[in-house]
Coordinates of all heavy atoms in Angstrom, one line a residue:
T49 N 5.5 3.1 23.4 CA 4.3 3.9 23.3 C 4.0 4.3 21.9 O 3.0 4.9 21.7 CB 4.3 5.1 24.1 OG1 5.3 6.1 23.7 CG2 4.6 4.8 25.6
E50 N 4.8 3.9 21.0 CA 4.5 4.2 19.6 C 3.3 3.5 19.0 O 3.0 2.3 19.4 CB 5.7 3.9 18.6 CG 6.8 4.9 18.8 CD 6.4 6.3 18.2 OE1 6.1 6.4 17.1 OE2 6.5 7.2 19.1
Q51 N 2.4 4.1 18.2 CA 1.3 3.5 17.5 C 1.8 2.8 16.3 O 2.4 3.3 15.5 CB 0.2 4.6 17.3 CG -1.0 4.0 16.6 CD -2.0 5.1 16.4 OE1 -2.0 6.2 17.1 NE2 -2.9 4.8 15.3
I52 N 1.3 1.5 16.1 CA 1.6 0.9 14.8 C 0.1 0.4 14.3 O -0.8 0.3 15.0 CB 2.4 -0.3 15.0 CG1 2.1 -1.3 16.2 CG2 3.9 0.2 15.5 CD1 1.3 -2.5 15.7
T53 N 0.3 -0.1 13.0 CA -0.9 -0.7 12.4 C -0.7 -2.1 12.1 O 0.4 -2.4 11.3 CB -1.2 0.1 11.0 OG1 -1.5 1.4 11.4 CG2 -2.4 -0.6 10.4
V54 N -1.4 -3.0 12.5 CA -1.2 -4.5 12.2 C -1.9 -4.8 10.9 O -3.1 -4.5 10.7 CB -1.9 -5.4 13.4 CG1 -1.7 -6.9 13.0 CG2 -1.1 -5.0 14.8
L55 N -1.1 -5.3 10.0 CA -1.6 -5.7 8.6 C -2.0 -7.3 8.6 O -2.9 -7.5 7.8 CB -0.5 -5.4 7.6 CG 0.1 -4.0 7.7 CD1 1.2 -3.9 6.7 CD2 -1.0 -2.9 7.3
E56 N -1.3 -8.0 9.3 CA -1.6 -9.5 9.2 C -1.0 -10.2 10.5 O -0.1 -9.6 11.1 CB -0.8 -10.1 8.0 CG -0.7 -11.4 7.7 CD 0.2 -11.9 6.7 OE1 0.6 -11.0 5.8 OE2 0.5 -13.1 6.6
T57 N -1.6 -11.2 10.9 CA -1.1 -12.0 12.0 C -1.1 -13.4 11.7 O -2.1 -14.0 11.2 CB -2.0 -11.7 13.4 OG1 -2.0 -10.3 13.6 CG2 -1.5 -12.4 14.5
K58 N 0.0 -14.1 11.9 CA 0.1 -15.6 11.8 C -0.7 -16.3 12.8 O -0.8 -15.8 14.0 CB 1.6 -16.0 11.9 CG 2.6 -15.3 10.8 CD 2.3 -16.1 9.6 CE 3.4 -15.7 8.5 NZ 3.0 -16.3 7.2
S59 N -1.2 -17.5 12.5 CA -2.1 -18.2 13.5 C -1.2 -18.9 14.6 O -1.7 -19.3 15.7 CB -2.9 -19.2 12.8 OG -2.1 -20.1 12.1
E60 N 0.0 -19.2 14.3 CA 0.9 -20.0 15.3 C 1.2 -19.2 16.5 O 1.7 -18.2 16.4 CB 2.2 -20.5 14.6 CG 3.1 -21.4 15.4 CD 4.4 -21.7 14.8 OE1 4.6 -21.4 13.7 OE2 5.2 -22.1 15.6
E61 N 0.8 -19.8 17.7 CA 1.1 -19.1 19.0 C 2.5 -19.4 19.4 O 3.0 -20.5 19.3 CB 0.1 -19.5 20.0 CG 0.2 -18.7 21.3 CD -0.9 -19.0 22.2 OE1 -1.1 -20.1 22.6 OE2 -1.5 -18.0 22.8
L62 N 3.1 -18.4 20.0 CA 4.5 -18.4 20.4 C 4.5 -18.0 21.9 O 3.7 -17.3 22.3 CB 5.4 -17.5 19.6 CG 5.4 -17.6 18.1 CD1 6.1 -16.5 17.4 CD2 6.1 -19.0 17.7
F63 N 5.7 -18.4 22.6 CA 5.9 -18.0 23.9 C 7.4 -17.3 23.9 O 8.3 -18.0 23.8 CB 5.8 -19.0 25.0 CG 6.0 -18.5 26.3 CD1 5.0 -17.9 27.0 CD2 7.1 -18.8 27.1 CE1 5.1 -17.5 28.3 CE2 7.3 -18.4 28.4 CZ 6.4 -17.7 29.0
L64 N 7.4 -16.0 23.9 CA 8.6 -15.2 23.9 C 8.7 -14.2 25.0 O 7.6 -13.6 25.2 CB 8.9 -14.6 22.5 CG 9.0 -15.5 21.3 CD1 9.0 -14.6 19.9 CD2 10.3 -16.3 21.3
A65 N 9.7 -13.9 25.5 CA 9.8 -12.7 26.4 C 8.8 -12.8 27.5 O 8.3 -11.9 28.0 CB 9.9 -11.5 25.8
G66 N 8.5 -14.0 28.0 CA 7.5 -14.3 29.0 C 6.0 -14.0 28.7 O 5.2 -13.9 29.5
E67 N 5.8 -13.9 27.4 CA 4.5 -13.5 26.8 C 4.1 -14.6 25.8 O 4.9 -15.0 25.0 CB 4.4 -12.1 26.3 CG 4.8 -11.1 27.3 CD 3.6 -10.8 28.4 OE1 2.5 -11.0 28.1 OE2 4.1 -10.1 29.3
Y68 N 2.7 -14.7 25.7 CA 2.3 -15.5 24.6 C 1.8 -14.6 23.4 O 1.3 -13.4 23.8 CB 1.0 -16.3 25.1 CG 1.3 -17.6 25.8 CD1 1.2 -17.4 27.3 CD2 1.7 -18.7 25.2 CE1 1.6 -18.6 28.0 CE2 2.0 -19.8 26.0 CZ 1.9 -19.8 27.4 OH 2.4 -20.8 28.2
G69 N 1.9 -14.9 22.2 CA 1.6 -14.1 21.2 C 1.8 -14.7 19.8 O 2.1 -15.9 19.7
H70 N 1.8 -13.9 18.8 CA 1.9 -14.4 17.4 C 2.9 -13.4 16.7 O 3.0 -12.3 17.1 CB 0.5 -14.3 16.6 CG -0.6 -15.1 17.4 ND1 -0.8 -16.4 17.2 CD2 -1.4 -14.7 18.4 CE1 -1.8 -16.8 17.9 NE2 -2.1 -15.8 18.8
W71 N 3.3 -13.8 15.5 CA 4.0 -12.9 14.6 C 3.1 -12.0 13.9 O 2.1 -12.6 13.3 CB 4.9 -13.6 13.6 CG 6.2 -14.2 14.2 CD1 6.5 -15.4 14.5 CD2 7.2 -13.4 14.7 NE1 7.7 -15.5 15.1 CE2 8.2 -14.3 15.2 CE3 7.6 -12.0 14.6 CZ2 9.4 -13.8 15.7 CZ3 8.8 -11.6 15.2 CH2 9.7 -12.4 15.8
S72 N 3.2 -10.8 14.0 CA 2.3 -9.7 13.2 C 3.1 -9.0 12.4 O 4.1 -8.4 12.7 CB 1.4 -8.9 14.2 OG 0.6 -9.7 15.0

Side-chain angles (χ1 to χ4, degrees):
T49 73
E50 285 292 301
Q51 180 179 332
I52 55 100
T53 301
V54 177
L55 305 172
E56 173 187 345
T57 300
K58 297 284 187 183
S59 61
E60 180 185 353
E61 187 173 54
L62 307 166
F63 185 75
L64 296 173
E67 301 285 340
Y68 286 97
H70 306 266
W71 283 108
S72 292

